[in-house]
Amino acid sequence: MPEVTFTQPSGERITVSADVGRSLMKVAVENLVPGIVGECGGDLSCATCHVFVDVPWVAKLPPMTAEEEQMLDVTAEEPTAASRLCCQITLTEDLDGLSLHVPETQR
Amino acid sequence: MTADSDLLIIGGGQAAGELAAALRSRDWGGSIAIVGEEDHVPYTRPPLSKAYLRGEVEAADLYLRRPDFYDRHGIAVSAGVAVADVDLEAQTVTLDDGRVRTWRKLVFATGGRPRRLPDSILRSAPNVHYIRTLADVDRLKAVRTDGASFVVVGGGYVGLEIASVLRSLDAQVTLVEAADRLLGRVTSPVVSEFFRRLHRDRGVDVRVGTAVVEYQYSDAGNVIGAVLSDGSRIAVDQLLVGIGIVPNDELAARAGIDVDGGILVDRFCRTSANDVFAVGDVAKVTDLDGEPPRRLESMPNAVSHARVLADYLSGVEQPAVDPPWFWSDQYDIKLQSAGLVVPDDELVIRGNPDERRFSVLYLCDGVVTAVDAIGSPADYAAARKLIAQRVPVDAGIAADPGRRLLEAALASAGTTD
Ligand SMILES: Cc1cc2nc3c(=O)[nH]c(=O)nc-3n(C[C@H](O)[C@H](O)[C@H](O)COP(=O)(O)OP(=O)(O)OC[C@H]3O[C@@H](n4cnc5c(N)ncnc54)[C@H](O)[C@@H]3O)c2cc1C
Ligand code: FES
């Protein structure tokens, strides 16, 4: 099972392992990772699953759709080039070790 | 005496599941019990009329959290059992199997049930469907669709979504709406007309301003025909009814809690009784600034109530601030809405409905109060910000689809300085 680390704004690191095929938003929510809300359940309608991807990983993720890019406009915290909506990222073996930062606020 | 649970949640739907999880994510230390009458851990309903009906996802994918989540986090879920009675004084509930449970705090998350057609025979007709639960949709999925004649009564979101899935499964669909337009209670005529044309173009026989005046039955008690107010008769293989829901507030009313078309709560989800709360579709919020009390039927509303109450129980008084929002998927079209549409709002249309990409902004005194965005997530995203921040915009500038909406809003703010 691949492992993913969510680093909190406080610096606390939460590492979880999860089944391949689940979205990172679901993985976070199921493990009560603070700061990932996922209010729309992954429908690209809420932007409350915003994460900053650690730079070495940015290029390894599947590209964004136009819809995801547009929804990033509505995140509570200013998006950066490393921003993604984690409901759009499906966990694969290749993502073992993925490192993400959770924003200060989602709303 | 120690209570069986510090917090007992009646109902095991979206609001119940989100509340339990939100309390645990806030390190709320008390014991939590969920009693829900459906045979499932809490699951999310929106895909029922979309991906689940299309057969693209399985029941387990609808679960908000996996079944083992509840054990791991000390949440006792009793599924398949209903609360039959509530005694506020004794702080107990009686389950429909006769067991009695004690609690310190009680939450009604009982949601709603489909509004039924008045005809008593229709209740027992085997080919009449009401769509609220996984079990309802499983029953519908077991029915043969290709070439079969489905009549959908009611042109709200659920009816329209189901009509779109049925069409993609090659069913013949007639949709009958008594009001003079689709989605009449929740949107403007432009958006209603867009959806009427969309469904008509995909082969749904849409009849607005038309009611069923008579149902015809086979000897076995199936509905086989519907006679409409325009005099026509439609053959029926399956009848689907989507005419709204009735809040499950009777249990609370019997216990002596104030209800009026929903359980009355304040902005922290507190009912008229001490230590008793209500969240989600059943809760009617009364203390909105200057606005009439309202009950919303949406998943974001259920999630938002859960969060507000979890905060409150954890000692943080943080009422909801976001405008209400909603989405719907029909065919390959996504509608995203935020805010509440009021009939005399000024309308600003951006883009072209013929291209299936446009948005409607609703302005009240120059301030954006609501949006319906079709295939336009950028407008939806921008409008949500404008609604929350109550930014005045110039209707003429905002209507220009060549400008990004946020830029247009800033430009209008500049001109009004
Ligand atoms: C087909 C369909 C599609 C939808 N699509 C969307 C959408 O696209 N977007 C959106 O925002 N919303 C959508 N909704 C609405 C959304 O699902 C509801 O707003 C949400 O489920 C409300 O959650 P709730 O927990 O308040 O109520 P419910 O989900 O109704 O849950 C209440 C639960 O309580 C149980 N219960 C009731 N009384 C008792 C009792 N006495 N004892 C024990 N259990 C009891 C009920 O059986 C039920 O399981 C849709 C709804 C349906 C039916
Ligand atoms: S969960 Fe709503 S956009 Fe990702």
Side-chain angles (χ1 to χ4, degrees), chain B residues 156-221:
Chain B
Y157 288 120
V158 171
L160 292 173
E161 288 178 358
I162 292 202
S164 75
V165 178
L166 289 173
R167 275 304 297 149
S168 65
L169 299 173
D170 278 336
Q172 302 297 315
V173 182
T174 306
L175 189 135
V176 183
E177 165 59 55
D180 60 0
R181 59 186 176 94
L182 302 176
L183 300 169
R185 284 189 309 127
V186 289
T187 191
S188 56
V190 223
V191 177
S192 297
E193 178 56 18
F194 171 79
F195 280 107
R196 192 184 69 82
R197 279 180 48 192
L198 176 70
H199 283 273
R200 191 200 58 195
D201 292 350
R202 304 293 170 110
V204 176
D205 183 355
V206 183
R207 314 270 186 109
V208 291
T210 312
V212 181
V213 291
E214 188 196 329
Y215 292 97
Q216 299 167 331
Y217 301 92
S218 70
D219 293 340

Side-chain angles (χ1 to χ4, degrees), chain A residues 19 22 26 29-32 37 39-41 43-46 67 70-71 73-75 107, chain B residues 21 24 61 65-66 69 73 299 307 322 325 327 329 334 336 377-378 380-381 384-385 404:
Chain A
D19 289 337
R22 314 234 343 131
K26 284 240 162 159
V29 163
E30 208 129 44
N31 287 284
L32 295 180
V37 181
E39 195 169 75
C40 74
D43 190 78
L44 266 185
S45 288
C46 72
E67 288 76 23
Q70 292 175 31
M71 279 307 292
D73 268 355
V74 78
T75 52
R107 33 196 37 269
Chain B
R24 287 301 182 235
D61 299 326
R65 285 155 181 93
R66 294 175 193 216
F69 170 87
H73 295 284
M299 173 191 143
R307 189 166 46 232
D322 278 353
W325 60 272
W327 78 96
D329 296 308
K334 179 186 279 304
Q336 294 168 299
Y380 167 73
R384 268 187 72 166
K385 288 205 160 153
R404 293 181 61 207

